[in-house]
Amino acid sequence: MSTANRLLNVLALFTMDRPEWSVEEAATELDMTLSTTYRYFRSLVEAGLVAAHTPSRYTLGPAIIRFDRQMRLLDPLIVAARPVMRRLARELGPHIWVPLCRLYRTDVMCVHQETLEPPDLANDFERQPVSYGRGQLMPLHRGAPSKAILANMNFRLVRPIYDGDPAAMAAVGLGGNWTEVKRSLRALRSAGAVITSGELQGGMQGIAVPIFDQQVVIGSLSIIMQQSREMPPRETLVPRLTEGARQIEEIMTAAASR
């Protein structure tokens, strides 16, 4: 493994479940020598990616916030999607969330959201009873935003994910074998939109459409709401979401050609 990969593995240790590490703990977890691990921590501290919480324990550093701000302001997908999502949120009214998700390795991540909820909720999405908070990782096979992406991926990329946990896809009705899964994904792809209820979090329902870049799926545009509320009719909602996704793609294409 290269030095760069080892350094990234150290950074990847810092998660929501375990946000603090000592050098000794990291060395044991990654099966590296203590001297090498110290060297990597020193490099991460100098870059601001890791900071000392106490003399012997470390957390993520302020550089993460700097990069996050840059993503919020300058990421082409977020910049293109923000006005479209705000319009959808205004048109659909309160108590509806409009998340923007993108493919991240073998998961899906929410990278932006819009809602007309009161400010204390709208500004702190992670406190809401919804799993689509910014930075939240979600499995590719659960929930409308994820399935909209999965259904439009090349099957050569989907097959290793399926092989890694066939039971997970069977549990959400995608099929008991690879042939059935492919058939289910083709049907979702042909439908153009995915609707799910309670797959990722009980009490919530969602509808999502894919977003493409150069004919390759990169993310999804969704509407999430409580199951207790009546979802707008599919025949009116899907065209609005689809139009929004196409507008996002057009804005990104136009920006890239400048």
Side-chain angles (χ1 to χ4, degrees):
M1 186 181 296
S2 69
T3 298
N5 285 337
R6 287 180 181 272
L7 193 65
L8 291 173
N9 284 344
V10 172
L11 189 60
L13 290 175
F14 296 87
T15 65
M16 292 288 289
D17 294 330
R18 190 167 179 181
E20 294 184 15
W21 288 82
S22 69
V23 176
E24 293 79 7
E25 290 169 344
T28 300
E29 181 73 16
L30 297 175
D31 193 25
M32 297 192 306
T33 65
L34 197 57
S35 61
T36 298
T37 310
Y38 267 112
R39 186 168 68 251
Y40 290 160
F41 266 77
R42 186 165 57 249
S43 295
L44 291 171
V45 168
E46 290 174 356
L49 295 170
V50 166
H53 175 55
T54 66
S56 61
R57 302 196 66 78
Y58 297 83
T59 62
L60 291 178
I64 302 295
I65 301 174
R66 171 195 166 199
F67 291 131
D68 179 69
R69 180 176 183 272
Q70 183 172 326
M71 284 285 295
R72 290 174 185 264
L73 296 177
L74 301 176
D75 178 78
L77 177 58
I78 296 175
V79 170
R82 187 179 292 117
V84 176
M85 296 169 65
R86 285 178 177 170
R87 188 191 71 240
L88 280 171
R90 287 195 304 269
E91 292 174 353
L92 295 170
H95 309 297
I96 291 180
W97 294 268
V98 184
L100 174 69
C101 298
R102 73 180 306 159
L103 187 63
Y104 175 73
R105 297 180 179 175
T106 57
D107 293 299
V108 171
M109 178 184 290
C110 177
V111 295
H112 187 64
Q113 58 84 22
E114 294 287 345
T115 179
L116 291 184
E117 286 297 279
D120 61 328
L121 294 180
N123 293 331
D124 189 3
F125 197 60
E126 285 71 17
R127 290 169 51 196
Q128 299 174 25
V130 182
S131 295
Y132 294 96
R134 178 177 166 83
Q136 179 71 43
L137 285 177
M138 298 158 287
L140 258 172
H141 61 281
R142 277 189 185 277
S146 296
K147 282 185 171 178
I149 296 173
L150 181 67
N152 289 276
M153 290 173 60
N154 189 299
F155 285 154
R156 289 187 295 102
L157 301 177
V158 178
R159 181 61 190 265
I161 300 171
Y162 168 79
D163 289 340
D165 192 357
M169 292 199 182
V172 291
L174 287 175
N177 56 57
W178 175 236
T179 299
E180 292 178 355
V181 169
K182 286 194 296 183
R183 187 182 302 121
S184 297
L185 294 179
R186 287 193 183 101
L188 292 176
R189 184 184 300 180
S190 298
V194 178
I195 299 177
T196 61
S197 182
E199 281 194 1
L200 192 64
Q201 181 168 339
M204 308 304 296
Q205 59 183 331
I207 180 169
V209 298
I211 298 174
F212 297 91
D213 184 15
Q214 303 297 319
Q215 299 183 327
V216 176
V217 64
I218 60 170
S220 63
L221 179 65
S222 315
I223 290 172
I224 305 294
M225 61 187 300
Q226 296 173 340
Q227 288 175 324
S228 59
R229 297 183 179 277
E230 184 177 356
M231 182 174 285
R234 178 190 175 110
E235 58 269 21
T236 61
L237 195 53
V238 171
R240 291 167 76 177
L241 268 178
T242 302
E243 179 186 8
R246 301 296 84 81
Q247 289 176 345
I248 293 169
E249 294 165 0
E250 291 170 2
I251 293 172
M252 285 195 298
T253 300
S257 62
R258 291 173 188 159

